[in-house]
């Protein structure tokens, strides 16, 4: 009996490992075919502590998964069962190779180990029940687009749940018979295994040996079949998610957009050759190995999809489906990608068609539809929620870069914005002389830089295009300037020397214009001696702080809410006049998720007497976009419900007197939606959207309560 069990077990193991090994080799070759990305490896060498922290918090600690408590706990139980029940498979291996009554001393005889094994196996079974309930409850057949599993391969998920269940029941069957046969060394400590042996009491020793051998082979066989299924399915993430976490980007927040890379090096536009260099991603082989790893790691959980503002307002963009469609295309084209030149010449036209060799990446009949690509607001909700750290925005942005810079294919209205940036240095095409008009509207002196910062200047106030040129944003600019003046903070502005940071161009995909504007601004900032900068626009803040270092601009940059909160804390600004209003705060994406600034705007409102704050149900790291990011501010929103309307509907649920925010783009988008609601009679006539700084200046100066604001 022992010999037969051994031969069957070894033969099955050999076949399964051969099949799994073949697939792993295929995946290795596919990943190697991607473009180089040396920075990913260098960062691991530079920051081993960060890597350990990532593995402990993201992989072992399940930090992102546990944000969704019930599903997170269920997943944590199943994952830890995967780790801890490896000791049971060690036990099975010893029994297979050396006999059913053989055990490793201590490891397979110490009671507490058996207790832990049984407990985690039962928790795993409970987790499977939770998963099954979630799958039924959130079935795409029932909920359609409202289901986060819409578009996922749900059949494969059920197969995996069934296979994990098989692991659990075969374990208890094998160990139950083992206990009845007198071979369970843990005794009653392995309480459920001990209990599982009760039905087998009284059977003959011969029968128990047969059943124990069958149970052993079944338990091992399930694992081997599971292994083959895993490496050929989305559950490959079991093995490669730790790698994806290891090689992820590591900014505090989402940070900067990646510079354009070609062959593993930053692209030099002056020396670039369109025939030799990679301008964004125009075909699947243009993606880096990390991009291909992202695609293979996707778990199809749909958390990104459930949080995406585009998807939630009826648009075709699902971050999950972007990754899945790229993955399916990569796998289809893989035989061609990993083939040698000689092998490629032997492929027939029919084979090339099947491998999607000539299928365009972005197009009406391409892998990614243009409407999908241009629906993205770069809000970062997808990246924030992804439990395996897939970088959706980077991939969308790289595909945009190819479309804009090589194909010249992008929404027509965005072309006007680009021309204005190139010719006038701002998206609206206004004269640079208008950048200082707001200064004439304040009753104190605002120092304007001429050749260098005036002596004693603590901060350069980066006003930004919206802050200088857009009427609603100019109110924020004047409020911040006056607050700094009251607090005794010495600051200066660049006036006409200031140009757009280039954020709209970069997020659209026109990297060349971003580089042009960025280098111009860095040169100006360095010439005037700027060291510390305060910005009111989160997009400017993010670009100055996180992206200008890529082009030689290293500055200490703060957002105005950070500086104002600090001044209030120090007692240099004192809110005194009560503002008896119910206020709900909208988190700007580029301030919140991109830079983790959630606390300071709320701290400011908390210091204003009389203010009652109420959060919208989607706030902080789950905040909902206003719809302006990713250069969407300058594109028409023609598909589905307007994102800003959806956000204002959420705000109205709190019955606010005022909606506050900390971004000029959000001011415009939310303000427009509020005005629409007023015209419809769905919002108070007095309701308005204001910057946090405007609330603070009202309280500090003791201004009268606001008057009704007419809809524009």
């Amino acid at each position: 009996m022992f010999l037969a069990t051994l031969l069957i077990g070894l033969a099955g193991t050999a076949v399964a490992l051969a099949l799994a090994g073949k697939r792993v080799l295929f995946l290795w070759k596919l990943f190697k075919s991607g473009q180089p990305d040396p920075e990913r490896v260098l960062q691991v060498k530079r920051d081993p502590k960060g890597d350990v922290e990532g593995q402990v918090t993201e992989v072992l600690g399940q930090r992102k998964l546990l944000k969704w408590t019930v599903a997170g706990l269920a997943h944590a139980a199943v994952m830890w069962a995967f780790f801890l029940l490896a000791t049971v498979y060690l036990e099975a291996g010893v029994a297979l190779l050396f006999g059913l009554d053989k055990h490793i001393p201590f490891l397979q005889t110490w009671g507490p180990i058996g207790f832990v094994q049984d407990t985690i196996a039962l928790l795993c079974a409970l987790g499977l029940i939770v998963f099954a309930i979630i799958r039924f409850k959130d079935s795409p057949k029932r909920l359609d687009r409202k289901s986060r599993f819409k578009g996922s391969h749900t059949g494969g998920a059920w197969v995996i749940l069934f296979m994990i269940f098989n692991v659990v029941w075969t374990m208890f069957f094998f160990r139950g018979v083992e206990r009845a046969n007198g071979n369970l060394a843990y005794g009653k400590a392995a309480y459920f295994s001990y209990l599982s042996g009760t039905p087998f009491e009284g059977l003959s020793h011969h029968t128990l040996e047969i059943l124990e051998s069958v149970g052993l082979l079944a338990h091992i066989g399930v694992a081997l079949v599971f292994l083959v299924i895993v490496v050929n399915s989305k559950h490959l993430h079991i093995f490669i998610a730790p790698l994806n976490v290891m090689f992820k980007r590591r900014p505090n927040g989402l940070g900067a957009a990646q510079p354009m890379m070609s062959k593993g090096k930053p692209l030099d536009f002056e020396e670039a050759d369109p025939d030799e260099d990679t301008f964004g991603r125009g075909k699947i082989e243009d993606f880096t190995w990390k991009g291909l790893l992202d695609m293979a790691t996707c778990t199809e959980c749909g958390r990104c999809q459930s949080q995406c503002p585009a998807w939630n307002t009826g648009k075709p963009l699902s971050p999950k489906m972007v990754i899945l469609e790229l993955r399916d295309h990569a796998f289809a084209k893989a035989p061609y990608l990993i083939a040698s030149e000689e092998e490629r010449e032997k492929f027939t036209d029919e084979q090339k068609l099947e491998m999607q060799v000539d299928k365009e990446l972005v197009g009406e009949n391409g892998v990614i539809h243009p409407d999908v690509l241009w629906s993205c607001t770069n809000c970062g909700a997808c990246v924030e929620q992804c439990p395996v750290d897939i970088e959706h925005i980077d991939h969308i942005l790289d595909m945009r870069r190819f479309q804009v810079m090589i194909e010249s294919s992008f929404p027509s209205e965005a072309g006007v914005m680009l021309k204005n940036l190139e010719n006038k240095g701002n998206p609206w095409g206004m004269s640079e002389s208008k950048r200082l008009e707001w200064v004439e509207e304040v009753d104190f002196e605002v120092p304007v830089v001429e050749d260098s910062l005036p002596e004693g200047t603590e901060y350069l106030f980066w006003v930004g295009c919206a802050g200088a040129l857009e009427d609603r944003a100019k109110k924020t600019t004047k409020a911040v300037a006056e607050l700094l003046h009251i607090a005794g903070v010495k600051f200066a502005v660049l006036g006409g020397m200031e140009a757009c940071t280039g954020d709209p161009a970069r997020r659209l995909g026109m990297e060349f214009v971003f580089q042009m504007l960025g280098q111009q601004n860095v040169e100006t900032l360095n010439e005037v001696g700027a060291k510390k900068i305060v910005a009111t626009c989160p997009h400017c803040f993010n670009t100055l702080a996180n992206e200008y270092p890529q082009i030689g601009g290293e500055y200490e940059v703060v957002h105005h809410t950070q500086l104002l909160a600090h001044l209030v804390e120090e007692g240099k600004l004192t809110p005194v006049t009560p503002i008896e209003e119910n206020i709900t705060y909208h988190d700007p994406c580029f301030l919140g998720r991109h830079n983790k600034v959630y606390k300071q705007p709320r701290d400011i409102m908390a210091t204003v007497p009389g203010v009652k704050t109420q959060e919208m149900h989607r706030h902080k790291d789950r905040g909902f976009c206003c719809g302006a990011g990713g250069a969407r501010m300058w594109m028409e929103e023609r598909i589905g419900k307007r994102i800003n309307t959806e956000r204002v509907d959420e705000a109205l649920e709190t019955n606010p007197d005022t909606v506050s925010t900390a971004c000029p783009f959000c001011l415009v988008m939310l303000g427009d939606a509020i005005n629409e609601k007023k015209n419809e009679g769905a919002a108070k006539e007095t309701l308005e959207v204001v910057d946090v700084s405007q609330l603070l200046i009202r309280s500090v100066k003791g201004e009268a309560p606001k008057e009704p604001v007419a809809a524009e």
Side-chain angles (χ1 to χ4, degrees), residues 221-339:
V222 165
L224 294 173
V225 173
F226 192 19
L227 173 65
V228 175
I229 292 174
V230 162
V231 296
N232 284 276
S233 72
K234 73 185 183 74
H235 282 78
L236 181 64
H237 76 269
I238 291 174
F239 299 116
I240 64 176
L243 292 175
N244 215 44
V245 171
M246 178 188 297
F247 293 115
K248 70 174 181 177
R249 295 204 286 127
R250 300 176 186 175
N252 180 28
L254 301 184
Q258 290 285 73
M260 284 186 70
M261 306 289 287
S262 179
K263 301 175 183 176
K265 298 179 182 178
L267 186 66
D268 185 336
F269 284 98
E270 292 183 3
E271 299 181 4
D273 183 349
D275 295 325
E276 295 291 331
D277 288 300
T278 302
F279 284 72
R281 312 285 180 243
K283 47 189 183 297
I284 198 68
E285 49 264 49
D286 291 339
F287 285 85
T288 66
W289 61 264
K290 175 57 171 65
L292 295 172
L293 184 64
D294 268 0
M295 298 169 202
T297 307
C298 181
T299 69
E300 303 185 25
C301 68
R303 292 177 182 228
C304 59
Q305 180 174 288
S306 72
Q307 303 299 302
C308 176
W311 180 261
N312 276 281
T313 53
K315 296 167 183 61
L317 168 63
S318 158
K320 174 187 71 178
M321 294 310 299
V322 168
I323 298 300
L324 295 190
E325 284 159 2
L326 290 172
R327 181 195 70 187
D328 292 346
H329 177 57
F331 282 167
K333 198 172 180 179
Y336 184 83
L337 297 179
I338 63 180

Side-chain angles (χ1 to χ4, degrees), residues 31 33 36 82 153 257 312 360 379 388 426 450 452 612 634:
F31 296 152
S33 73
F82 180 80
H153 296 84
N312 276 281
E360 61 181 344
C379 72
V388 292
N426 67 79
E450 294 182 1
S452 62
K612 297 177 183 177
W634 290 274

Side-chain angles (χ1 to χ4, degrees), residues 348-359:
T348 65
D349 290 342
E350 187 177 332
Q351 288 174 315
K352 288 181 180 179
L353 183 64
E354 186 178 343
M355 290 186 284
Q356 303 178 6
V357 171
D358 297 319
K359 187 171 185 177

Side-chain angles (χ1 to χ4, degrees), residues 438 442-447 461 477-491 563-564 567 572-573 697 700-701:
W438 68 271
V442 297
D443 56 6
F444 55 90
E445 183 182 356
V446 177
F461 181 11
T477 301
K478 290 183 284 187
V480 171
E482 188 167 5
L483 287 165
L484 296 180
H485 174 71
I486 293 170
V489 176
K490 291 187 176 181
F491 68 95
L563 180 55
L564 295 179
L567 293 173
K572 294 181 179 179
L573 291 172
I697 193 71
V700 169
K701 290 184 66 179

Side-chain angles (χ1 to χ4, degrees), residues 151-276:
S152 299
H153 296 84
T154 53
W158 285 110
V159 169
I160 292 298
L161 291 182
F162 177 65
M163 291 305 299
I164 299 173
F165 170 70
N166 287 336
V167 168
V168 174
W169 81 257
T170 55
M171 166 190 156
F172 285 124
F173 175 81
F174 160 57
R175 283 160 63 116
V177 178
E178 191 178 34
R179 173 249 160 166
N181 204 22
N183 291 329
L184 183 65
Y186 297 120
K188 291 184 179 180
Y191 56 96
F192 202 80
S193 295
Y194 195 88
L195 182 64
S196 299
T198 304
F200 305 107
E201 291 177 349
L203 296 178
S204 67
H205 177 69
H206 178 69
T207 302
L208 289 172
E209 282 216 331
I210 293 174
L211 288 176
E212 191 173 350
S213 296
V214 169
L216 174 65
L217 290 175
H219 191 52
I220 292 173
V222 165
L224 294 173
V225 173
F226 192 19
L227 173 65
V228 175
I229 292 174
V230 162
V231 296
N232 284 276
S233 72
K234 73 185 183 74
H235 282 78
L236 181 64
H237 76 269
I238 291 174
F239 299 116
I240 64 176
L243 292 175
N244 215 44
V245 171
M246 178 188 297
F247 293 115
K248 70 174 181 177
R249 295 204 286 127
R250 300 176 186 175
N252 180 28
L254 301 184
Q258 290 285 73
M260 284 186 70
M261 306 289 287
S262 179
K263 301 175 183 176
K265 298 179 182 178
L267 186 66
D268 185 336
F269 284 98
E270 292 183 3
E271 299 181 4
D273 183 349
D275 295 325
E276 295 291 331

Side-chain angles (χ1 to χ4, degrees), residues 494-521:
L494 289 173
M497 296 167 65
E498 185 181 293
C500 178
T501 59
D503 168 83
R506 177 168 245 196
R507 298 290 166 169
L508 180 74
M510 180 53 84
E511 184 74 7
F512 177 77
V513 173
F514 165 75
Q515 294 282 339
M516 178 188 73
L517 291 167
Q519 288 166 5
Q520 173 186 328
N521 283 324

